[in-house]
PDB file of all heavy atoms in Angstrom:
ATOM      1  N   GLY A  26     122.549 -92.591  54.828  1.00 96.00           N
ATOM      2  CA  GLY A  26     121.922 -93.456  55.862  1.00 96.00           C
ATOM      3  C   GLY A  26     121.385 -92.726  57.103  1.00 96.00           C
ATOM      4  O   GLY A  26     121.197 -93.334  58.151  1.00 96.00           O
ATOM      5  N   LEU A  27     121.238 -91.444  56.990  1.00 98.00           N
ATOM      6  CA  LEU A  27     120.719 -90.646  58.111  1.00 98.00           C
ATOM      7  C   LEU A  27     119.368 -89.963  57.661  1.00 98.00           C
ATOM      8  O   LEU A  27     119.131 -89.758  56.475  1.00 98.00           O
ATOM      9  CB  LEU A  27     121.669 -89.538  58.506  1.00 98.00           C
ATOM     10  CG  LEU A  27     123.011 -90.061  59.102  1.00 98.00           C
ATOM     11  CD1 LEU A  27     124.005 -88.894  59.176  1.00 98.00           C
ATOM     12  CD2 LEU A  27     122.846 -90.670  60.440  1.00 98.00           C
ATOM     13  N   GLU A  28     118.599 -89.585  58.615  1.00 97.00           N
ATOM     14  CA  GLU A  28     117.365 -88.876  58.353  1.00 97.00           C
ATOM     15  C   GLU A  28     117.247 -87.641  59.243  1.00 97.00           C
ATOM     16  O   GLU A  28     117.504 -87.707  60.418  1.00 97.00           O
ATOM     17  CB  GLU A  28     116.145 -89.807  58.654  1.00 97.00           C
ATOM     18  CG  GLU A  28     114.806 -89.171  58.345  1.00 97.00           C
ATOM     19  CD  GLU A  28     113.643 -90.165  58.584  1.00 97.00           C
ATOM     20  OE1 GLU A  28     113.804 -91.039  59.397  1.00 97.00           O
ATOM     21  OE2 GLU A  28     112.605 -89.884  57.960  1.00 97.00           O
ATOM     22  N   ALA A  29     116.923 -86.514  58.597  1.00 97.00           N
ATOM     23  CA  ALA A  29     116.836 -85.244  59.333  1.00 97.00           C
ATOM     24  C   ALA A  29     115.627 -85.295  60.304  1.00 97.00           C
ATOM     25  O   ALA A  29     114.508 -85.539  59.841  1.00 97.00           O
ATOM     26  CB  ALA A  29     116.710 -84.080  58.392  1.00 97.00           C
ATOM     27  N   VAL A  30     115.820 -85.102  61.544  1.00 97.00           N
ATOM     28  CA  VAL A  30     114.766 -84.937  62.538  1.00 97.00           C
ATOM     29  C   VAL A  30     114.237 -83.511  62.548  1.00 97.00           C
ATOM     30  O   VAL A  30     113.083 -83.236  62.584  1.00 97.00           O
ATOM     31  CB  VAL A  30     115.248 -85.349  63.927  1.00 97.00           C
ATOM     32  CG1 VAL A  30     114.182 -85.064  64.972  1.00 97.00           C
ATOM     33  CG2 VAL A  30     115.692 -86.815  63.979  1.00 97.00           C
ATOM     34  N   SER A  31     115.193 -82.617  62.385  1.00 98.00           N
ATOM     35  CA  SER A  31     114.802 -81.153  62.274  1.00 98.00           C
ATOM     36  C   SER A  31     115.931 -80.390  61.588  1.00 98.00           C
ATOM     37  O   SER A  31     117.103 -80.766  61.664  1.00 98.00           O
ATOM     38  CB  SER A  31     114.629 -80.589  63.718  1.00 98.00           C
ATOM     39  OG  SER A  31     115.848 -80.677  64.508  1.00 98.00           O
ATOM     40  N   ILE A  32     115.506 -79.366  60.848  1.00 98.00           N
ATOM     41  CA  ILE A  32     116.448 -78.387  60.221  1.00 98.00           C
ATOM     42  C   ILE A  32     115.843 -77.027  60.559  1.00 98.00           C
ATOM     43  O   ILE A  32     114.856 -76.582  59.962  1.00 98.00           O
ATOM     44  CB  ILE A  32     116.564 -78.596  58.716  1.00 98.00           C
ATOM     45  CG1 ILE A  32     117.060 -80.037  58.388  1.00 98.00           C
ATOM     46  CG2 ILE A  32     117.526 -77.566  58.128  1.00 98.00           C
ATOM     47  CD1 ILE A  32     117.254 -80.270  56.926  1.00 98.00           C
ATOM     48  N   ASP A  33     116.437 -76.336  61.476  1.00 98.00           N
ATOM     49  CA  ASP A  33     115.876 -75.066  62.004  1.00 98.00           C
ATOM     50  C   ASP A  33     116.807 -73.929  61.665  1.00 98.00           C
ATOM     51  O   ASP A  33     118.047 -74.027  61.800  1.00 98.00           O
ATOM     52  CB  ASP A  33     115.682 -75.146  63.489  1.00 98.00           C
ATOM     53  CG  ASP A  33     114.695 -76.192  63.908  1.00 98.00           C
ATOM     54  OD1 ASP A  33     113.688 -76.342  63.192  1.00 98.00           O
ATOM     55  OD2 ASP A  33     114.904 -76.934  64.892  1.00 98.00           O
ATOM     56  N   ARG A  34     116.237 -72.805  61.227  1.00 98.00           N
ATOM     57  CA  ARG A  34     116.978 -71.614  60.962  1.00 98.00           C
ATOM     58  C   ARG A  34     117.247 -70.865  62.224  1.00 98.00           C
ATOM     59  O   ARG A  34     116.348 -70.670  63.083  1.00 98.00           O
ATOM     60  CB  ARG A  34     116.194 -70.730  59.978  1.00 98.00           C
ATOM     61  CG  ARG A  34     116.985 -69.651  59.241  1.00 98.00           C
ATOM     62  CD  ARG A  34     116.122 -69.093  58.097  1.00 98.00           C
ATOM     63  NE  ARG A  34     116.875 -68.205  57.265  1.00 98.00           N
ATOM     64  CZ  ARG A  34     116.762 -66.933  57.282  1.00 98.00           C
ATOM     65  NH1 ARG A  34     115.997 -66.332  58.194  1.00 98.00           N
ATOM     66  NH2 ARG A  34     117.463 -66.127  56.472  1.00 98.00           N
ATOM     67  N   LEU A  35     118.523 -70.492  62.442  1.00 98.00           N
ATOM     68  CA  LEU A  35     118.922 -69.822  63.746  1.00 98.00           C
ATOM     69  C   LEU A  35     119.640 -68.531  63.364  1.00 98.00           C
ATOM     70  O   LEU A  35     120.579 -68.507  62.579  1.00 98.00           O
ATOM     71  CB  LEU A  35     119.804 -70.724  64.544  1.00 98.00           C
ATOM     72  CG  LEU A  35     120.272 -70.227  65.880  1.00 98.00           C
ATOM     73  CD1 LEU A  35     119.112 -69.919  66.823  1.00 98.00           C
ATOM     74  CD2 LEU A  35     121.268 -71.153  66.498  1.00 98.00           C
ATOM     75  N   VAL A  36     119.201 -67.409  63.998  1.00 98.00           N
ATOM     76  CA  VAL A  36     119.813 -66.108  63.755  1.00 98.00           C
ATOM     77  C   VAL A  36     120.423 -65.645  65.083  1.00 98.00           C
ATOM     78  O   VAL A  36     119.681 -65.460  66.071  1.00 98.00           O
ATOM     79  CB  VAL A  36     118.836 -65.107  63.220  1.00 98.00           C
ATOM     80  CG1 VAL A  36     119.514 -63.727  62.961  1.00 98.00           C
ATOM     81  CG2 VAL A  36     118.249 -65.573  61.914  1.00 98.00           C
ATOM     82  N   LEU A  37     121.738 -65.413  65.150  1.00 98.00           N
ATOM     83  CA  LEU A  37     122.403 -64.908  66.348  1.00 98.00           C
ATOM     84  C   LEU A  37     123.414 -63.823  65.985  1.00 98.00           C
ATOM     85  O   LEU A  37     123.855 -63.763  64.852  1.00 98.00           O
ATOM     86  CB  LEU A  37     123.222 -66.104  67.022  1.00 98.00           C
ATOM     87  CG  LEU A  37     122.395 -67.233  67.536  1.00 98.00           C
ATOM     88  CD1 LEU A  37     123.346 -68.346  68.026  1.00 98.00           C
ATOM     89  CD2 LEU A  37     121.447 -66.783  68.638  1.00 98.00           C
ATOM     90  N   SER A  38     123.693 -62.939  66.964  1.00 98.00           N
ATOM     91  CA  SER A  38     124.529 -61.804  66.707  1.00 98.00           C
ATOM     92  C   SER A  38     125.953 -62.136  67.047  1.00 98.00           C
ATOM     93  O   SER A  38     126.284 -62.789  68.069  1.00 98.00           O
ATOM     94  CB  SER A  38     124.110 -60.625  67.544  1.00 98.00           C
ATOM     95  OG  SER A  38     122.852 -60.137  67.107  1.00 98.00           O
ATOM     96  N   GLY A  39     126.907 -61.665  66.190  1.00 98.00           N
ATOM     97  CA  GLY A  39     128.341 -61.797  66.398  1.00 98.00           C
ATOM     98  C   GLY A  39     128.937 -60.424  66.589  1.00 98.00           C
ATOM     99  O   GLY A  39     128.340 -59.385  66.087  1.00 98.00           O
ATOM    100  N   THR A  40     130.123 -60.302  67.195  1.00 98.00           N
ATOM    101  CA  THR A  40     130.761 -59.008  67.441  1.00 98.00           C
ATOM    102  C   THR A  40     132.202 -59.028  66.947  1.00 98.00           C
ATOM    103  O   THR A  40     132.844 -60.068  66.841  1.00 98.00           O
ATOM    104  CB  THR A  40     130.724 -58.674  68.941  1.00 98.00           C
ATOM    105  OG1 THR A  40     131.511 -59.718  69.649  1.00 98.00           O
ATOM    106  CG2 THR A  40     129.311 -58.649  69.501  1.00 98.00           C
ATOM    107  N   ALA A  41     132.677 -57.841  66.631  1.00 98.00           N
ATOM    108  CA  ALA A  41     134.018 -57.606  66.206  1.00 98.00           C
ATOM    109  C   ALA A  41     134.465 -56.251  66.615  1.00 98.00           C
ATOM    110  O   ALA A  41     133.695 -55.328  66.652  1.00 98.00           O
ATOM    111  CB  ALA A  41     134.139 -57.782  64.647  1.00 98.00           C
ATOM    112  N   PRO A  42     135.737 -56.085  66.995  1.00 97.00           N
ATOM    113  CA  PRO A  42     136.217 -54.773  67.404  1.00 97.00           C
ATOM    114  C   PRO A  42     136.290 -53.781  66.269  1.00 97.00           C
ATOM    115  O   PRO A  42     136.208 -52.598  66.470  1.00 97.00           O
ATOM    116  CB  PRO A  42     137.667 -55.035  67.952  1.00 97.00           C
ATOM    117  CG  PRO A  42     138.006 -56.365  67.378  1.00 97.00           C
ATOM    118  CD  PRO A  42     136.768 -57.125  67.204  1.00 97.00           C
ATOM    119  N   SER A  43     136.405 -54.253  65.030  1.00 97.00           N
ATOM    120  CA  SER A  43     136.456 -53.390  63.895  1.00 97.00           C
ATOM    121  C   SER A  43     136.183 -54.193  62.635  1.00 97.00           C
ATOM    122  O   SER A  43     136.320 -55.444  62.605  1.00 97.00           O
ATOM    123  CB  SER A  43     137.830 -52.724  63.761  1.00 97.00           C
ATOM    124  OG  SER A  43     138.833 -53.711  63.466  1.00 97.00           O
ATOM    125  N   ALA A  44     135.887 -53.506  61.552  1.00 98.00           N
ATOM    126  CA  ALA A  44     135.734 -54.139  60.251  1.00 98.00           C
ATOM    127  C   ALA A  44     137.098 -54.666  59.766  1.00 98.00           C
ATOM    128  O   ALA A  44     137.146 -55.683  59.100  1.00 98.00           O
ATOM    129  CB  ALA A  44     135.180 -53.120  59.233  1.00 98.00           C
ATOM    130  N   ARG A  45     138.158 -53.976  60.105  1.00 97.00           N
ATOM    131  CA  ARG A  45     139.474 -54.459  59.746  1.00 97.00           C
ATOM    132  C   ARG A  45     139.766 -55.825  60.317  1.00 97.00           C
ATOM    133  O   ARG A  45     140.348 -56.714  59.636  1.00 97.00           O
ATOM    134  CB  ARG A  45     140.565 -53.477  60.172  1.00 97.00           C
ATOM    135  CG  ARG A  45     142.012 -54.000  59.992  1.00 97.00           C
ATOM    136  CD  ARG A  45     143.016 -52.940  60.199  1.00 97.00           C
ATOM    137  NE  ARG A  45     143.074 -52.043  59.064  1.00 97.00           N
ATOM    138  CZ  ARG A  45     143.742 -52.246  57.970  1.00 97.00           C
ATOM    139  NH1 ARG A  45     144.476 -53.365  57.813  1.00 97.00           N
ATOM    140  NH2 ARG A  45     143.765 -51.384  57.002  1.00 97.00           N
ATOM    141  N   THR A  46     139.347 -56.070  61.547  1.00 97.00           N
ATOM    142  CA  THR A  46     139.557 -57.344  62.238  1.00 97.00           C
ATOM    143  C   THR A  46     138.898 -58.435  61.398  1.00 97.00           C
ATOM    144  O   THR A  46     139.455 -59.515  61.167  1.00 97.00           O
ATOM    145  CB  THR A  46     139.029 -57.336  63.639  1.00 97.00           C
ATOM    146  OG1 THR A  46     139.691 -56.333  64.424  1.00 97.00           O
ATOM    147  CG2 THR A  46     139.218 -58.703  64.302  1.00 97.00           C
ATOM    148  N   VAL A  47     137.601 -58.250  60.993  1.00 98.00           N
ATOM    149  CA  VAL A  47     136.906 -59.204  60.197  1.00 98.00           C
ATOM    150  C   VAL A  47     137.589 -59.442  58.797  1.00 98.00           C
ATOM    151  O   VAL A  47     137.733 -60.598  58.362  1.00 98.00           O
ATOM    152  CB  VAL A  47     135.427 -58.791  59.999  1.00 98.00           C
ATOM    153  CG1 VAL A  47     134.704 -59.831  59.156  1.00 98.00           C
ATOM    154  CG2 VAL A  47     134.773 -58.608  61.318  1.00 98.00           C
ATOM    155  N   ALA A  48     138.002 -58.354  58.214  1.00 98.00           N
ATOM    156  CA  ALA A  48     138.677 -58.521  56.938  1.00 98.00           C
ATOM    157  C   ALA A  48     139.959 -59.303  57.032  1.00 98.00           C
ATOM    158  O   ALA A  48     140.219 -60.170  56.214  1.00 98.00           O
ATOM    159  CB  ALA A  48     138.993 -57.095  56.364  1.00 98.00           C
ATOM    160  N   GLU A  49     140.714 -59.032  58.123  1.00 97.00           N
ATOM    161  CA  GLU A  49     141.966 -59.803  58.260  1.00 97.00           C
ATOM    162  C   GLU A  49     141.672 -61.254  58.580  1.00 97.00           C
ATOM    163  O   GLU A  49     142.403 -62.139  58.190  1.00 97.00           O
ATOM    164  CB  GLU A  49     142.771 -59.175  59.435  1.00 97.00           C
ATOM    165  CG  GLU A  49     143.377 -57.820  59.048  1.00 97.00           C
ATOM    166  CD  GLU A  49     144.091 -57.142  60.245  1.00 97.00           C
ATOM    167  OE1 GLU A  49     143.955 -57.671  61.402  1.00 97.00           O
ATOM    168  OE2 GLU A  49     144.785 -56.142  60.004  1.00 97.00           O
ATOM    169  N   GLY A  50     140.591 -61.490  59.298  1.00 97.00           N
ATOM    170  CA  GLY A  50     140.197 -62.882  59.585  1.00 97.00           C
ATOM    171  C   GLY A  50     139.929 -63.646  58.329  1.00 97.00           C
ATOM    172  O   GLY A  50     140.439 -64.777  58.148  1.00 97.00           O
ATOM    173  N   PHE A  51     139.177 -63.074  57.410  1.00 97.00           N
ATOM    174  CA  PHE A  51     138.885 -63.737  56.172  1.00 97.00           C
ATOM    175  C   PHE A  51     140.124 -63.842  55.275  1.00 97.00           C
ATOM    176  O   PHE A  51     140.411 -64.896  54.653  1.00 97.00           O
ATOM    177  CB  PHE A  51     137.798 -63.000  55.407  1.00 97.00           C
ATOM    178  CG  PHE A  51     136.411 -63.304  55.835  1.00 97.00           C
ATOM    179  CD1 PHE A  51     135.621 -62.332  56.428  1.00 97.00           C
ATOM    180  CD2 PHE A  51     135.869 -64.598  55.741  1.00 97.00           C
ATOM    181  CE1 PHE A  51     134.303 -62.571  56.855  1.00 97.00           C
ATOM    182  CE2 PHE A  51     134.616 -64.881  56.189  1.00 97.00           C
ATOM    183  CZ  PHE A  51     133.810 -63.876  56.697  1.00 97.00           C
TER     184      PHE A  51
END
């Protein structure tokens, strides 16, 4: 029952102190 007004692609940068931090997060 909804209609899309807009669907926009957005690219933003994220940061992490280390790859290990990201691995532990997942």
Side-chain angles (χ1 to χ4, degrees):
L27 296 168
E28 182 176 24
V30 175
S31 61
I32 301 180
D33 297 319
R34 200 167 186 258
L35 181 63
V36 181
L37 296 175
S38 294
T40 61
S43 67
R45 171 170 286 276
T46 300
V47 180
E49 291 176 349
F51 280 117

